Amino acid sequence: MNLYDQFTQWIGSLNAQQVADWLRHLDWNRVVPEVIGKSIGFLLGFFASWFLLFRRHLKALDRLRRGDSDDVLFQAHFLVPVPGSDKYTLIFRNLVPSTTVNDLYDNPAARKIVRELADITTLRKPVLRTEGVLGFEILNDAFNHISGHLAITPFPRETWFFAMTCEDRQVVRRKCIRCFLVRPAELERFASWRWCRDNIVCEQPWHWYRIVALHQLATVWQEEEKAAQNPNPKTQGMPLVDKHATHRRIRPMSVGIYTNEKPVGTTVHINWSAQEWELKKLGLDLNAAGS
């Protein structure tokens, strides 16, 4: 006979008098506090767990609504000629599946630094301001990640410029780290704002932000080129360590990338007069330097 059968047999053998006697002889001064205390503890634990899970869900929902993300995207940028005109369509495509800051950096300190650098970038200065040895290592990890993925592609190798960016939270829908790859000759074209506004069309209306970011990237590249031509003399220390302090944030790499992309849908001409006014309110006057 199993325990269940024994229990049912015992219950069936009880009469009302036996149950009443058993209840009368219970130590209620001990039973009641035990039952109530454990019940209250269970309920408090249940509601605390529910509250924490609900709060975490609300935070995740708020981050999704604000477009805040820990994703790291690696995107190649192309200028595709528009047939029958002197214009070009700006195309950018993801090169590898997106990763996250936690997956890209195994060091918790590096993750914290990357997030802090991303939070202080703006559309005026979209390139992450990596400095010193720590900044060099952060940039180097992302550089090695994408160069490793693209080292085994079947496409012919070319020289591309690599830069880590994070466009301003105020102007982009989704705030995340975007690692740009762009050909040197095309980045040189982006240095002229007049050329950008007169010759580039986009796949989507909101892609005009990317044109601005690439123009700002080109100005950073020009500054780094000038600094490289007039390096500061070093009187002591190892050269490699010294260069970490003022490392190049826009770095060349030799990789194979599929470049025969075509625009998706109908291209869009940007009304730059209206957009430049919006940029002025953000403190970015692209026509001030007359470029």
Side-chain angles (χ1 to χ4, degrees):
M1 182 180 297
N2 56 36
L3 292 177
Y4 175 76
D5 293 336
Q6 292 178 2
F7 177 76
T8 54
Q9 184 178 359
W10 176 73
I11 289 293
S13 65
L14 293 177
N15 54 42
Q17 184 61 41
Q18 290 176 321
V19 173
D21 291 340
W22 177 72
L23 292 175
R24 186 170 61 253
H25 289 88
L26 278 178
D27 188 359
W28 292 104
N29 292 330
R30 182 178 178 182
V31 171
V32 173
E34 286 282 341
V35 173
I36 294 177
K38 290 182 178 180
S39 299
I40 293 175
F42 170 78
L43 292 174
L44 288 176
F46 173 80
F47 283 115
S49 300
W50 176 84
F51 177 76
L52 291 175
L53 290 174
F54 182 69
R55 186 179 180 186
R56 183 181 301 176
H57 173 74
L58 289 180
K59 284 186 175 181
L61 190 62
D62 183 59
R63 289 188 63 192
L64 181 64
R65 186 180 297 110
R66 291 186 292 109
D68 197 1
S69 170
D70 256 358
D71 286 350
V72 180
L73 306 179
F74 295 88
Q75 298 178 326
H77 297 73
F78 315 89
L79 289 176
V80 179
V82 177
S85 71
D86 58 353
K87 297 186 180 297
Y88 296 83
T89 303
L90 172 63
I91 294 177
F92 49 93
R93 299 287 187 264
N94 290 340
L95 295 173
V96 294
S98 65
T99 184
T100 64
V101 172
N102 287 350
D103 290 335
L104 186 59
Y105 298 98
D106 58 355
N107 190 310
R111 299 170 185 169
K112 182 175 183 293
I113 293 172
V114 168
R115 292 187 179 101
E116 290 175 349
L117 292 175
D119 284 338
I120 63 175
T121 57
T122 64
L123 195 59
R124 185 175 181 179
K125 295 182 178 180
V127 183
L128 264 64
R129 284 173 265 182
T130 54
E131 296 178 350
V133 176
L134 296 180
F136 176 85
E137 294 299 334
I138 287 171
L139 183 65
N140 203 47
D141 284 350
F143 182 93
N144 289 337
H145 178 83
I146 187 61
S147 62
H149 276 281
L150 299 179
I152 57 175
T153 60
F155 311 114
R157 284 181 172 269
E158 294 182 71
T159 298
W160 293 73
F161 280 142
F162 168 89
M164 292 185 72
T165 76
C166 184
E167 293 153 304
D168 196 332
R169 177 195 301 269
Q170 299 178 2
V171 297
V172 294
R173 181 188 62 83
R174 185 185 184 196
K175 177 185 175 295
C176 63
I177 294 175
R178 293 176 172 88
C179 296
F180 286 8
L181 278 83
V182 58
R183 289 183 174 117
E186 294 182 349
L187 185 61
E188 189 172 0
R189 287 183 169 183
F190 278 104
S192 170
W193 178 245
R194 185 180 300 276
W195 185 89
C196 290
R197 62 171 293 170
D198 293 343
N199 293 276
I200 300 180
V201 295
C202 302
E203 292 181 289
Q204 300 292 343
W206 54 86
H207 286 176
W208 68 271
Y209 292 120
R210 187 59 58 90
I211 299 176
V212 177
L214 287 166
H215 170 67
Q216 296 303 100
L217 182 69
T219 60
V220 174
W221 169 68
Q222 288 181 331
E223 294 171 358
E224 290 187 347
E225 285 291 299
K226 291 179 182 178
Q229 294 173 3
N230 300 286
N232 294 327
K234 301 294 182 181
T235 59
Q236 60 183 359
M238 296 175 60
L240 181 61
V241 176
D242 289 340
K243 288 181 180 179
H244 283 176
T246 55
H247 59 264
R248 299 288 291 264
R249 293 182 292 163
I250 302 174
R251 301 175 54 183
M253 65 168 54
S254 177
V255 291
I257 297 176
Y258 179 74
T259 58
N260 292 326
E261 291 283 354
K262 302 298 180 185
V264 176
T266 305
T267 56
V268 178
H269 294 259
I270 306 301
N271 180 11
W272 283 112
S273 298
Q275 309 305 348
E276 287 172 344
W277 174 250
E278 293 296 325
L279 292 173
K280 278 186 179 181
K281 292 192 289 186
L282 295 172
L284 180 58
D285 189 355
L286 296 173
N287 295 310
S291 58

